[in-house]
Amino acid sequence: MSDLLSKRSLPDEKGRYQNITPTSAGWKYVGFQAYQLAKNQTITFNASSDEEICLVLVGGKANATLAGESLGEIGDRSGPFEKKKPYSLYVTAGDTAELTATTDVELAVCRAPGKGTFPSRLISPEEVGAEARGNGNNKRYVHNILPDNENADSLLVVEVYTDEGCTSSYPSHKHDRDAPPEETHLEETYYHRLNPSQGFCIQRVYTDERDLDECMAVYDGDVVMVPRGYHPVATIAGYDSYYLNVMAGPVRKWLFTWEEDHAWVNSPEYANKHNNQK
């Protein structure tokens, strides 16, 4: 099995079934955990003095307290495939967030270095941008939870929906060079969900030199780590895909480079061809 693939494990005593740290991933910036909380379970997250956290309610509802302030009940979808925009909490360095589940909750915990530059806040669905990208069999729908034009020290967080039989994170692109304004170095995790849940998708991670070239069958609840290189996703007939991306690096800007061989898929000719087939 690839070292870049973290299989969903049995939940621990707190409900955690994914736990990616910079140490376990062999990199510097991104941490990611996933939890399944039972109704009435309470969990607390303390951001250290040098990190920031984004808590994403992937599914379910919870009473939330952030930096000592009660926010009441948050959450508006039972799971990601309702395709409603999520509720999230941004927890700045040194602050605390507490959740008490009022239903079963699927929770994503996104971590990166933080300096406390920006205050903790609720990110409501109304504050989440949405956009359709691509054409034909290369189309997806995006929720921008914490994009690079919103306040954070390091974290970038986005969720993506890809229908059965389509590609995503494609044409192949990479962000592994610290060379703005052309490209930024961003580590990235993909937290995958499939609908129906017994399905799988395919993700490849590879470089121009092919010194890294991994192709993985990814199942519901798995995480793929992208330390460098291109990283496209392909769905399988019968199964829709959701994934939550976490990115961070030395510069908080999403600047990437297309793989030259496949960049033509972005062309107006490709789009027109598929639009005319409708």
Side-chain angles (χ1 to χ4, degrees), residues 157-179:
V157 182
V158 62
E159 57 181 17
V160 179
Y161 295 90
T162 310
D163 292 340
E164 60 170 312
C166 289
T167 52
S168 191
S169 290
Y170 188 80
S172 302
H173 70 277
K174 69 180 184 71
H175 37 74
D176 58 13
R177 292 188 302 128
D178 187 14

Side-chain angles (χ1 to χ4, degrees), residues 189-209:
T189 54
Y190 277 68
Y191 169 62
H192 287 271
R193 294 289 315 282
L194 281 299
N195 185 36
S197 62
Q198 74 270 22
F200 67 95
C201 64
I202 301 295
Q203 186 159 20
R204 185 182 178 201
V205 181
Y206 64 103
T207 61
D208 287 313
E209 299 77 16

Side-chain angles (χ1 to χ4, degrees), residues 70-138:
S70 176
L71 303 179
E73 187 179 60
I74 63 172
D76 188 37
R77 64 187 193 188
S78 60
F81 290 102
E82 287 188 8
K83 295 189 176 180
K84 296 179 179 180
K85 297 176 183 178
Y87 279 83
S88 305
L89 299 177
Y90 173 76
V91 189
T92 198
D95 271 356
T96 297
E98 182 179 274
L99 296 175
T100 299
T102 55
T103 68
D104 289 345
V105 167
E106 180 180 353
L107 180 68
V109 182
C110 318
R111 300 176 184 267
K115 299 178 289 185
T117 307
F118 305 102
S120 298
R121 66 187 187 274
L122 170 69
I123 304 172
S124 68
E126 293 76 20
E127 298 169 280
V128 174
E131 59 180 314
R133 297 179 187 166
N135 292 280
N137 292 329
N138 184 48

Side-chain angles (χ1 to χ4, degrees), residues 130-153:
E131 59 180 314
R133 297 179 187 166
N135 292 280
N137 292 329
N138 184 48
K139 59 187 178 183
R140 58 275 194 205
Y141 192 71
V142 177
H143 289 157
N144 290 306
I145 297 168
L146 199 55
D148 60 10
N149 62 343
E150 296 293 341
N151 290 337
D153 283 324

